[in-house]
Amino acid sequence: MSERKVLNKYYPPDFDPSKIPKLKLPKDRQYVVRLMAPFNMRCKTCGEYIYKGKKFNARKETVQNESYLGLPIFRFYIKCTRCLAEITFKTDPENTDYTMEHGATRNFQAEKLLEEEEKRVQKEREDEELNNPMKVLENRTKDSKLEMEVLENLQELKDLNQRQAHVDFEAMLRQHRLSEEERQRQEQEEDERETAALVEESRKRRLLEDSDSEEDTTPTQPQPALRPNPTAILDETPKAKRKAESWERSVGALGSRPQLSGLVVKKTGLDSSIRRGRAPPLPGAMKNGQAAGPAPQMPSTSSLSQLGVYSDSEDSSGSN
């Protein structure tokens, strides 16, 4: 793959540079260039101010029959930003500046006018000294006298400054060094105080966290198990007795409240036999007084039923 930007070009063996036609371009041809205004100017047509550094698309041409030490002089054409009037200026290689030609006036050139005035005075003086030797002597005398006056004034100013303020540079350097050391020491102490404060704060925070974690993680001490008392079983209330006590607390003793005795019906032997799950005795067997056989062992009656029977017997005895 070939290069995009070729540095070397190919010349064939039969290349003859004399056969290349030469273009005859006019000497006063113009080029379009991009430039900035070299100085502040004001348009003569509309009075618009054009400041130094403003960019323009200008036309550039070479000035004919004008040069300075073989250097060509160029002319530029720009347009006013407001009225589009044409403004021209050209280069001034003698003064390394630009010269306004047409369409505007240059502003703020007081420094340039001062320099031109100094140059004019210097040139007139040189012309006078060239033809008058006495003038040369007078000018030298004036220059030496002016130089002596300047030196005297400068010495007076130096003496005045020394009397008013005696500056000891060694003391200044020493004071500066001491102040710098003091500043560094203060900064170091301040850093140490801040470090100690941070360390103390972190230590306190760590202690608080440790104390909180200890409180959270401390196991509750198990209470010692009570050893069973061998005689405790004797003090426990039997199941039937506890049921009777609960019955008395809820209903009350039937013997102490005769008005509730009517609610209890005395159970007959037949009812009690049926309730106990035993068949009633046959009449014949009861008459002979002989039992048919050994009575089967039935489960014991509950304490609540016994309590009911006992209450019925009391009621019946009281009524008799």
Side-chain angles (χ1 to χ4, degrees), residues 163-202:
R163 287 196 302 268
Q164 289 181 353
H166 179 68
V167 180
D168 188 1
F169 295 100
E170 294 296 334
M172 290 178 60
L173 293 174
R174 193 182 306 108
Q175 184 67 22
H176 176 70
R177 193 181 301 108
L178 293 175
S179 62
E180 187 69 18
E181 293 177 357
E182 182 67 20
R183 185 181 62 81
Q184 292 179 359
R185 187 178 60 79
Q186 291 179 359
E187 290 180 356
Q188 185 176 2
E189 292 179 356
E190 186 176 357
D191 294 342
E192 291 178 356
R193 287 196 299 270
E194 292 179 358
T195 306
L198 292 175
V199 170
E200 183 67 20
E201 184 179 356
S202 63

Side-chain angles (χ1 to χ4, degrees), residues 2 197 213:
S2 62
S213 61

Side-chain angles (χ1 to χ4, degrees), residues 260-284:
L260 297 179
S261 60
L263 298 176
V264 180
V265 180
K266 186 174 182 180
K267 298 174 183 171
T268 61
L270 181 61
D271 294 338
S272 60
S273 299
I274 292 172
R275 185 174 180 182
R276 294 175 182 178
R278 187 173 54 183
L282 295 176

Side-chain angles (χ1 to χ4, degrees), residues 85-232:
E86 192 174 58
I87 301 172
T88 62
F89 55 89
K90 62 181 181 180
T91 59
D92 186 10
E94 182 179 0
N95 300 316
T96 62
D97 199 0
Y98 291 84
T99 303
M100 176 59 65
E101 275 192 330
H102 173 73
T105 56
R106 184 170 180 174
N107 300 332
F108 309 111
Q109 51 181 351
E111 185 177 359
K112 183 180 179 182
L113 295 176
L114 181 60
E115 292 177 357
E116 291 179 355
E117 184 66 21
E118 290 179 355
K119 289 181 180 180
R120 186 182 61 80
V121 172
Q122 184 69 18
K123 188 175 181 180
E124 291 179 355
R125 180 177 177 179
E126 290 177 356
D127 293 341
E128 290 179 357
E129 292 178 354
L130 183 60
N131 299 323
N132 191 356
M134 294 299 295
K135 193 67 175 178
V136 175
L137 183 59
E138 290 178 1
N139 291 337
R140 288 180 181 177
T141 305
K142 288 181 180 179
D143 292 341
S144 60
K145 185 177 180 180
L146 181 61
E147 185 178 359
M148 290 178 65
E149 290 178 357
V150 171
L151 291 175
E152 289 178 359
N153 294 333
L154 182 60
Q155 188 65 29
E156 289 179 0
L157 291 175
K158 288 182 178 180
D159 297 339
L160 182 61
N161 291 335
Q162 289 179 359
R163 287 196 302 268
Q164 289 181 353
H166 179 68
V167 180
D168 188 1
F169 295 100
E170 294 296 334
M172 290 178 60
L173 293 174
R174 193 182 306 108
Q175 184 67 22
H176 176 70
R177 193 181 301 108
L178 293 175
S179 62
E180 187 69 18
E181 293 177 357
E182 182 67 20
R183 185 181 62 81
Q184 292 179 359
R185 187 178 60 79
Q186 291 179 359
E187 290 180 356
Q188 185 176 2
E189 292 179 356
E190 186 176 357
D191 294 342
E192 291 178 356
R193 287 196 299 270
E194 292 179 358
T195 306
L198 292 175
V199 170
E200 183 67 20
E201 184 179 356
S202 63
R203 189 179 65 81
K204 291 181 179 179
R205 190 183 299 110
R206 192 182 305 109
L207 290 175
L208 290 175
E209 292 176 357
D210 294 344
S211 62
D212 295 340
S213 61
E214 288 179 0
E215 291 178 0
D216 296 339
T217 58
T218 299
T220 56
Q221 295 182 358
Q223 294 181 358
L226 298 177
R227 297 181 65 182
N229 191 2
T231 59

Side-chain angles (χ1 to χ4, degrees), residues 244 247-248 252-256 261 264-267 275-276 301-318:
W247 173 268
E248 291 179 359
L254 295 178
S256 60
S261 60
V264 180
V265 180
K266 186 174 182 180
K267 298 174 183 171
R275 185 174 180 182
R276 294 175 182 178
T301 60
S302 64
S303 60
L304 186 59
S305 60
Q306 292 178 359
L307 180 62
V309 173
Y310 179 76
S311 300
D312 293 343
S313 62
E314 286 184 355
D315 295 337
S316 60
S317 63

